[in-house]
């Protein structure tokens, strides 16, 4: 699948989830205000932030389909990474607020209508399961994963609201409502931290997690005529697009025409690296060059 179709497909998935999530977020918000449940309000807050994050994700997916230009030689593929970063940071802010509110309510738990929380929490759980299922069946870009993080947080929030409603309805302590909200927020925080590490790796031009640079070099030097690979750099353009640049030492430059397609095929089929820039060098000439003090300096005319 091309990068354009790949991003277009993820954009449609995110747009569908956006419409579905926004509608029920309003229902939960009204229900939470009516029942007085923090678990329900926190779930509604999660879903409203989901709506924003899904909107950002859909917009980022649309940007990623834009072709390369003079200003952006790789296109706007990194837009999905920025969308994921926005979602992670936004989720940290939401979690911080819910933790603050939960701790405040633990000191003086307000009255909660358990039956209303039980009903709306159950409906919210069904909605979140549907949206999560749609997102998991779509292309697993970093952008979609960022949106899925929010939806999974909502799913856990719905479970917490459902549990809180059931416990309070059966005569349990009111403090269970903020306690469950606090527990769910900590689970979401752990997931957000993992995604943040991955986004940071991409933005810092780190080697993709599923690619071993040493293995790449070992495989490339097995090609006939290749003596060594050096100055190799591997990085991520988008969730599904990796790039590589390297210098390749050859026994003789005449072998490059045959070696190049083999190298590109190995990179593509073994490591899913579709963008590669390989610079051939004659090993004997390079070693001679390296030994010379002024090798590579611009030629100058003697007076």
């Amino acid at each position: 699948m091309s990068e354009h179709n790949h991003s277009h497909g993820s954009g449609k998935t995110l747009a569908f989830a956006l419409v579905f999530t926004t509608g029920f977020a309003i229902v939960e918000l009204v229900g939470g205000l009516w029942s007085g449940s923090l678990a329900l309000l926190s779930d509604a807050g999660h879903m409203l932030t989901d709506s924003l994050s899904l909107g950002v994700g859909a917009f980022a997916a649309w940007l990623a389909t834009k072709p390369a230009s003079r200003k952006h030689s790789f296109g706007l593929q990194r837009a999905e990474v920025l969308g994921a970063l926005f979602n992670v940071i936004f989720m940290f802010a939401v979690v911080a607020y819910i933790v603050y509110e939960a701790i405040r309510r633990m000191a003086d738990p307000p009255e909660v209508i358990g039956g209303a929380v039980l009903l709306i929490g159950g409906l919210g759980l069904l909605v979140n399961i549907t949206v999560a299922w749609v997102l998991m069946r779509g292309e697993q870009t970093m952008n979609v994963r960022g949106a899925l993080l929010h939806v999974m947080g909502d799913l856990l929030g719905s479970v917490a609201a459902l549990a809180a409603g059931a416990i309070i309805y059966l005569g349990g302590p009111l403090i269970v409502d903020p306690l469950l909200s606090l527990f769910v927020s900590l689970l979401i925080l752990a997931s957000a931290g993992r995604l943040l590490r991955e986004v940071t790796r991409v933005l810092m031009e780190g080697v993709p997690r599923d690619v071993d640079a040493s293995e790449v070099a070992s495989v490339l030097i097995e090609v006939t005529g290749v003596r060594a690979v050096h100055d190799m750099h591997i990085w991520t353009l988008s969730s599904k697009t990796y790039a590589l640049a390297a210098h390749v030492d050859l026994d003789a430059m005449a072998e490059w025409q045959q070696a190049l397609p083999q190298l590109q095929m190995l990179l593509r089929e073994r490591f899913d690296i579709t963008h590669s820039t390989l610079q051939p060098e004659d090993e004997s000439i390079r070693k001679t060059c390296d030994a010379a003090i002024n090798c590579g300096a611009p030629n100058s005319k003697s007076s």
Side-chain angles (χ1 to χ4, degrees), residues 12-297:
K12 290 174 63 178
T13 300
L14 290 166
F16 172 83
L18 170 62
V19 174
F20 215 64
T21 301
T22 303
F24 196 78
I26 297 172
V27 174
E28 279 203 319
L29 181 61
V30 173
L33 292 172
W34 172 53
S35 65
S37 170
L38 177 61
L40 206 54
L41 284 173
S42 65
D43 194 32
H46 285 167
M47 293 194 77
L48 288 173
T49 60
D50 283 349
S51 298
L52 179 57
S53 70
L54 289 166
V56 170
F59 180 65
W62 174 75
L63 282 179
T65 64
K66 296 302 179 182
S69 65
R70 290 183 179 180
K71 292 184 177 180
H72 303 281
S73 58
F74 280 111
L76 297 175
Q77 297 180 45
R78 280 281 174 87
E80 69 166 34
V81 182
L82 296 178
L85 179 61
F86 173 85
N87 285 333
V88 169
I89 294 173
F90 195 18
M91 202 64 197
F92 281 147
V94 172
V95 167
Y97 172 76
I98 293 173
V99 169
Y100 164 77
E101 188 66 17
I103 293 174
R104 189 182 68 83
R105 288 197 177 199
M106 285 171 66
D108 183 23
E111 288 295 326
V112 175
I113 304 174
V117 177
L118 188 61
L119 175 62
I120 299 174
L123 292 174
L125 180 61
L126 293 176
V127 169
N128 285 315
I129 289 175
T130 301
V131 174
W133 179 78
V134 170
L135 290 176
M136 286 189 290
R137 284 177 59 87
E139 290 287 341
Q140 291 304 297
T141 67
M142 194 174 297
N143 191 22
V144 171
R145 287 180 56 202
L148 182 59
L149 170 65
H150 282 258
V151 174
M152 293 305 292
D154 280 339
L155 197 152
L156 290 173
S158 295
V159 171
L162 193 61
I167 293 171
I168 294 171
Y169 182 76
L170 295 173
L174 294 176
I175 198 173
V176 72
D177 184 66
L179 278 176
L180 285 173
S181 297
L182 186 61
F183 175 70
V184 170
S185 295
L186 294 177
L187 291 178
I188 298 169
L189 190 63
S191 298
R194 286 194 294 270
L195 183 58
L196 179 60
R197 285 196 299 271
E198 186 170 345
V199 170
T200 302
R201 174 190 288 264
V202 173
L203 295 179
M204 295 298 291
E205 305 288 355
V207 176
R209 189 178 299 277
D210 57 344
V211 175
D212 186 333
S214 299
E215 183 184 357
V216 173
S218 298
V219 169
L220 294 182
I221 62 175
E222 293 177 0
V223 173
T224 303
V226 175
R227 300 292 297 176
V229 176
H230 58 96
D231 294 325
M232 184 173 69
H233 304 280
I234 308 173
W235 68 99
T236 303
L237 293 174
S238 66
S239 294
K240 300 292 183 181
T241 308
Y242 301 155
L244 174 146
H247 291 210
V248 180
D249 287 351
L250 304 168
D251 289 326
M253 291 298 290
E255 308 206 18
W256 182 239
Q257 187 174 359
Q258 182 178 356
L260 178 59
Q262 296 182 53
L263 294 169
Q264 291 175 327
M265 181 186 67
L266 285 171
L267 291 171
R268 184 172 58 253
E269 296 183 357
R270 290 283 297 274
F271 306 102
D272 202 24
I273 298 175
T274 54
H275 289 265
S276 58
T277 303
L278 302 172
Q279 178 175 322
E281 296 180 352
D282 188 305
E283 186 184 37
S284 60
I285 295 177
R286 185 179 70 83
K287 287 183 176 180
T288 301
C289 244
D290 290 342
I293 297 177
N294 295 319
C295 175

